[in-house]
């Protein structure tokens, strides 16, 4: 309709001002999308955790191991469906900047417990049969070009020595929240070498993962596990995988919290930018709006005109910002060291938040000019010089 | 025939801080249909205020205003807006065209409030612009027109809805003599040919010559002579 044309013409009246405002919004939306993406990337592990899995670790610290013997004892607790375990191996691949998760796992049970790591059955069988085999994620395949039969050489640090693993399988992440950059190999292989090289470190497990029959029983089962090893040499702390992940993130929580906060400060800044533009426009057009009213245009028409212009500018800026956020976030991902954020993408919720913020900004920025325009009488508006 | 405008005992003051500025003091007069009335008087005598009251863009403190058959002092804002859109054509001293709209679009503006179709609006706009002699300037923006041309577009905007009454506040006040003459001739034609009732505020004695009736306002009251 005609009104849209007028809104459009009004918005482009001061082209430079409108362009600068739109760019301002676009930059802010881009920054918002990036911050939100970093925040969600941090929490992705928590989101991905299954409700029916518990993690048992050494009560004092995650870095102390637990005896392998606990495995059987835990298995016997009522409500426990299956138990598996893993050790953090780390080591250096090529150089210290090549950071991805390398873990020793129980080959028999690990992939059964983590269905989000999807492995071809034939490859899984090949992996299980070979002592020094490993399975890598598609993310690592993409990054390093690993293929079946390749040998990965790693310099041990936590577990000293040189280590060689043969790639026997490649897992695909079930969905976007699954980390595709892990390398998993036989715990038995690690343990065997430890028995030969440093017997005091054999028979040790980093943490246990327990699958329970009923997620509602997680607290009860956790208590039973920890009670079992109370007053032993290695007391345990058992919690849901989710709680475990959250605890893991707690250290970074303050930074992430402030990034979260900043992302909303940015929304506030956009609001000021658009609000300022709208207030300036409305002030300059005081006498014009009075003319509209003289001609018989109603309060509703004036609201439509001002709100429409405000929305036009903020939605244009928001759309542009979101469109630019995609390459911007991809660029950011390319420059941060690999492995910091195994899963890094703009979440739909970020798009929804940015989009609705743009709309909200459009509405709020129009409120003051609308109120001013409606409150100014025609006579005062016509007398206004500006 | 009933008068088109009946102003009865109208008073109006403005307030600046807590000082009352009396502007109109118990004014009464009638304007019959088809009249061309000029309101004259020194600056600050209340001419614009009286015109604004008649045009329904301001309200009296006291008294009654019957214009085009309606007691407009009693209408609420939205009814008054609707009333203005059908009965009043307003011509300002500084034209007050919308700068981002072409001459055509400016004239079409009041028609957007009617139920006319696009084709009907086009016919009205073209007719109005032809009456003011600017049919070849339809696509021009206000800043591409001279002052006299801008005021003619403003007059076209005022007549395009075929209102009952034209009100003009110093329509020649910002124009050179030649353009002013053109505008006055045009208003005269609108009055004679199209039978428009016109109330015009002016400083200019030559403008007042075109009118049938001249009323002098001084300190908020009509003076004799
Ligand atoms: N909106 C207003 N607020 C305050 N004072 C006003 C307002 N409009 C007019 N006045 C005052 O009322 C008086 C008459 O004004 P006006 O009707 O514009 O006179 P004129 O048009 O005859 O020059 C002047 O003193 C003017 O300052
Ligand atoms: Mg005046």
């Amino acid at each position: 309709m005609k009104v849209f044309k007028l809104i459009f013409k009004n918005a482009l009246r001061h082209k430079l001002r409108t362009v600068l405002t739109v760019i301002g919004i676009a930059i802010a939306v881009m920054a918002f999308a990036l911050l939100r993406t970093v925040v969600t990337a941090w929490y992705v592990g928590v989101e991905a955790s299954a409700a029916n899995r518990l993690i048992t670790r050494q009560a004092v610290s995650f870095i102390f191991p637990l005896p392998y013997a606990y495995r059987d004892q835990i298995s016997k607790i009522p409500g426990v469906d299956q138990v598996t375990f893993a050790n953090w191996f780390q080591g250096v691949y090529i150089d210290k900047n090549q950071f991805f998760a390398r873990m020793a796992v129980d080959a028999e049970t690990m992939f059964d417990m983590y269905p989000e790591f999807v492995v071809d059955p034939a490859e899984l069988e090949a992996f299980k049969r070979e002592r020094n085999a490993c399975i890598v994620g598609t993310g690592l395949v993409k990054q390093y070009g690993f293929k079946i039969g390749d040998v990965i050489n790693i310099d041990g640090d936590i577990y000293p020595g040189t280590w060689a693993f043969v790639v026997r399988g490649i897992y695909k992440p079930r969905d976007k929240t699954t980390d595709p950059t892990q390398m998993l190999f036989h715990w038995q292989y690690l343990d065997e070498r430890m028995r030969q090289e440093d017997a005091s470190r054999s028979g040790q497990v980093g943490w246990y993962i327990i699958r329970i029959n009923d997620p509602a029983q997680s607290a009860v089962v956790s208590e039973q596990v920890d009670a079992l090893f109370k007053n032993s040499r290695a007391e345990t702390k058992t919690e849901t995988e989710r709680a475990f992940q959250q605890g893991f993130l707690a250290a970074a929580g303050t930074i992430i919290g402030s990034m979260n906060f900043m992302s909303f400060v940015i929304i506030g800044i956009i609001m000021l930018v658009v609000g300022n533009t709208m207030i300036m426009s409305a002030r300059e057009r005081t006498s014009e709006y009075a003319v509209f009213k003289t001609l018989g245009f109603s309060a509703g028409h004036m609201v439509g005109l001002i709100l429409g212009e405000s929305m036009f500018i903020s939605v244009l800026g928001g759309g542009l910002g979101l469109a630019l956020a995609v390459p911007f976030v991809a660029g950011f991902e390319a420059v941060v060291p690999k492995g910091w954020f195994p899963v890094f993408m703009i979440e739909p919720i970020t798009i929804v938040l940015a989009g609705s913020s743009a709309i909200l900004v459009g509405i709020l920025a129009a409120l003051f000019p609308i109120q001013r325009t409606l409150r100014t009488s025609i006579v005062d508006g016509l007398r206004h010089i500006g | 025939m009933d008068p088109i405008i009946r102003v009865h005992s109208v008073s109006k003051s403005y307030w600046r801080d807590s000082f009352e500025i009396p502007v109109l003091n118990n004014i009464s007069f009638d304007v019959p249909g088809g009249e061309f009335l000029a309101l004259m008087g020194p600056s600050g005598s209340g001419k614009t205020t009286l015109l604004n009251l008649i045009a329904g863009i301001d309200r009296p403190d006291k008294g009654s205003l019957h214009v085009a058959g309606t007691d407009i002092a009693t209408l609420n804002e939205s009814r008054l807006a609707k009333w203005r859109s059908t009965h009043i054509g307003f011509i300002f001293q500084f034209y007050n065209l919308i700068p981002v709209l072409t001459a055509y679009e400016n004239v079409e503006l009041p028609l957007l409030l009617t139920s006319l179709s696009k084709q009907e609006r086009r016919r009205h706009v073209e007719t109005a612009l032809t009456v003011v002699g600017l049919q070849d300037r339809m696509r021009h923006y206000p800043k591409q027109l001279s002052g006299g041309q801008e005021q003619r577009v403003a007059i076209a905007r005022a007549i395009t809805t075929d209102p009952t009454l034209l009100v003009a506040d110093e329509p020649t006040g910002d124009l050179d003599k030649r353009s002013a003459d053109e505008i006055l001739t045009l208003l005269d034609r609108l009055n004679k040919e199209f039978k428009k009732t016109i109330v015009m505020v002016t400083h200019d004695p030559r403008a007042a010559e075109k009118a049938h009736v001249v009323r002098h306002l001084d300190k908020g009251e009509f003076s004799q002579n």
Side-chain angles (χ1 to χ4, degrees):
Chain A
M1 242 279 295
K2 206 78 187 174
V3 176
F4 288 113
K5 193 174 174 186
L6 187 58
I7 288 170
F8 184 70
K9 284 185 160 196
N10 267 339
L12 295 184
R13 192 180 290 207
H14 291 281
K15 287 195 185 61
L16 182 63
R17 182 160 83 198
T18 303
V19 165
L20 289 177
T21 305
V22 166
I23 290 174
I25 300 165
I27 289 172
V29 165
M30 259 162 59
F32 175 81
L34 179 65
L35 283 175
R36 300 290 322 160
T37 302
V38 170
V39 171
T40 45
W42 268 101
Y43 287 111
V44 95
V46 178
E47 298 304 321
S49 56
N52 64 346
R53 288 196 298 246
L54 307 178
I55 306 283
T56 298
R57 62 173 172 92
Q58 221 273 2
V60 177
S61 167
F62 182 66
I63 62 167
F64 297 122
L66 293 169
Y68 175 69
Y70 285 8
R71 182 188 188 182
D72 279 346
Q73 288 173 269
I74 295 171
S75 304
K76 291 196 188 96
I77 293 171
V80 171
D81 179 36
Q82 190 164 43
V83 180
T84 191
F85 50 94
N87 287 26
W88 186 251
F89 178 75
Q90 195 168 300
V92 176
Y93 174 65
I94 306 177
D95 60 55
K96 280 203 157 50
N97 293 324
Q98 311 304 315
F99 181 86
F100 54 86
R102 294 157 210 140
M103 286 184 277
V105 302
D106 180 44
E108 288 303 320
T109 52
M110 189 66 184
F111 291 94
D112 180 42
M113 288 275 278
Y114 282 89
E116 53 263 55
F117 290 67
V118 182
V119 190
D120 175 81
E123 288 182 7
L124 186 59
E125 272 316 301
F127 165 70
K128 285 180 180 174
R129 274 198 305 271
E130 201 169 329
R131 265 284 194 249
N132 64 340
C134 71
I135 287 188
V136 295
T138 49
L140 295 178
V141 168
K142 216 163 106 192
Q143 195 181 344
Y144 297 103
F146 294 141
K147 36 185 204 308
I148 305 283
D150 278 3
V151 175
I152 300 177
N153 292 301
I154 294 181
D155 254 337
D157 41 25
I158 298 174
Y159 299 94
T162 52
W163 300 74
F165 304 100
V166 188
V167 177
R168 283 298 170 221
I170 290 162
Y171 77 83
K172 284 194 257 327
R174 188 179 52 193
D175 54 50
K176 285 271 197 178
T177 61
T178 306
D179 178 4
T181 65
Q182 297 188 7
M183 178 241 181
L184 308 168
F185 63 91
H186 289 246
W187 179 86
Q188 281 76 8
Y189 177 56
L190 175 75
D191 194 55
E192 230 161 60
R193 266 188 63 169
M194 282 300 108
R195 215 173 310 160
Q196 291 160 11
E197 295 169 11
D198 182 359
S200 69
R201 294 185 69 187
S202 74
Q204 291 184 340
V205 163
W207 64 93
Y208 286 98
I209 303 117
I210 304 168
R211 185 167 65 208
I212 54 177
N213 291 319
D214 177 7
Q217 294 298 307
S218 61
V220 177
V221 176
S222 299
E223 265 172 44
Q224 284 178 325
V225 172
D226 293 344
L228 199 56
F229 306 113
K230 191 108 193 127
N231 300 321
S232 73
R233 223 162 19 91
E235 295 194 351
T236 60
K237 179 169 161 81
T238 304
E239 56 198 344
T240 60
E241 195 176 82
R242 175 163 297 227
F244 175 77
Q245 292 276 11
Q246 275 164 345
F248 210 64
L249 293 177
T254 328
I255 297 169
I256 293 301
S258 59
M259 286 178 96
N260 207 351
F261 175 72
M262 274 308 295
S263 70
F264 288 99
V265 167
I266 285 172
I267 298 293
I269 293 172
I270 320 179
M271 214 168 292
L272 294 179
V273 169
V274 185
N276 183 52
T277 300
M278 289 312 299
I279 287 168
M280 288 207 298
S281 302
R283 189 175 300 270
E284 287 163 4
R285 294 182 205 150
T286 304
S287 65
E288 259 173 60
Y289 288 151
V291 171
F292 274 101
K293 291 197 263 180
T294 303
L295 295 179
F297 283 83
S298 65
H301 288 118
M302 303 319 293
V303 171
L305 213 55
I306 298 168
L307 185 62
E309 184 177 346
S310 179
M311 293 294 271
F312 174 79
I313 291 174
S314 51
V315 169
L316 190 68
L320 185 69
L322 275 178
L324 292 175
V326 176
F328 186 58
V329 166
F332 184 82
E333 190 185 10
V335 295
V336 294
K338 291 279 184 247
W340 274 23
F341 301 112
V343 179
F344 199 72
M345 54 160 191
I346 302 179
E347 295 262 315
I349 182 69
T350 299
I351 296 171
V352 170
L353 272 177
S356 42
S357 301
I359 291 169
L360 186 71
V361 163
I363 293 169
L364 291 179
L367 286 186
F368 183 73
I370 284 174
Q371 186 240 14
R372 183 179 188 274
T373 302
L374 296 188
R375 213 190 38 202
T376 306
S377 71
I378 295 178
V379 173
D380 286 336
L382 289 175
R383 284 163 62 95
H384 188 271
I385 313 293
Chain B
M1 196 175 88
D2 270 353
I4 273 201
I5 303 171
R6 170 163 280 169
V7 178
H8 186 72
S9 301
V10 162
S11 296
K12 172 86 184 170
S13 300
Y14 285 111
W15 291 86
R16 193 166 292 153
D17 302 321
S18 53
F19 291 100
E20 186 178 3
I21 304 163
V23 179
L24 296 175
N25 182 19
N26 202 25
I27 295 264
S28 298
F29 70 108
D30 288 353
V31 179
E35 184 162 298
F36 189 165
L37 168 70
L39 287 173
M40 296 191 75
S43 189
S45 57
K47 306 181 294 296
T48 295
T49 303
L50 181 56
L51 196 73
N52 289 344
L53 290 175
I54 291 167
I57 61 174
D58 203 356
R59 291 175 182 281
D61 297 337
K62 281 212 296 278
S64 69
L65 281 153
H66 283 81
V67 184
T70 309
D71 182 1
I72 58 170
T74 62
L75 295 180
N76 67 24
E77 282 306 317
S78 67
R79 281 176 185 280
L80 196 56
K82 182 102 189 64
W83 176 86
R84 280 196 304 274
S85 70
T86 47
H87 291 293
I88 302 294
F90 213 113
I91 301 158
F92 304 92
Q93 178 175 355
F94 299 107
Y95 336 126
N96 283 355
L97 299 177
I98 306 301
V100 287
L101 300 181
T102 61
Y104 182 96
E105 290 164 339
N106 265 289
V107 177
E108 191 185 19
L109 213 48
L111 296 173
L112 297 178
L113 297 171
T114 67
S115 54
L116 295 180
S117 70
K118 199 176 156 85
Q119 286 85 342
E120 290 167 321
R121 292 203 303 265
R122 167 170 292 276
R123 214 165 38 73
H124 276 70
V125 173
E126 285 173 356
T127 306
L129 282 168
T130 306
V131 168
V132 301
L134 287 177
Q135 62 276 29
D136 56 341
R137 292 283 192 278
M138 292 199 291
R139 304 281 154 229
H140 286 57
Y141 285 92
K143 65 169 180 288
Q144 299 169 319
L145 299 170
S146 70
Q149 287 172 329
E150 278 197 74
Q151 191 61 300
R152 276 146 69 193
V153 173
I155 291 172
R157 179 176 68 185
I159 61 175
T160 186
T161 52
D162 195 20
T164 318
L165 179 66
L166 287 181
V167 296
D169 194 354
E170 309 207 27
T172 60
D174 202 45
L175 295 176
D176 59 66
K177 182 177 175 306
R178 240 196 69 199
S179 303
D181 283 341
E182 278 172 18
I183 297 299
L184 291 172
T185 308
L186 185 55
L187 289 175
D188 191 43
R189 230 185 103 208
L190 289 171
N191 175 248
K192 290 213 172 76
E193 245 176 72
F194 296 88
K195 310 285 178 243
K196 289 285 154 210
T197 308
I198 302 178
V199 180
M200 174 176 72
V201 166
T202 187
H203 261 111
D204 178 359
R206 286 181 314 108
E209 270 171 30
K210 297 279 184 190
H212 310 158
V213 182
V214 179
R215 284 181 184 274
H216 290 270
L217 209 54
D218 197 5
K219 299 200 183 85
E221 291 176 27
F222 285 126
S223 59
Q224 269 7 78
N225 81 352

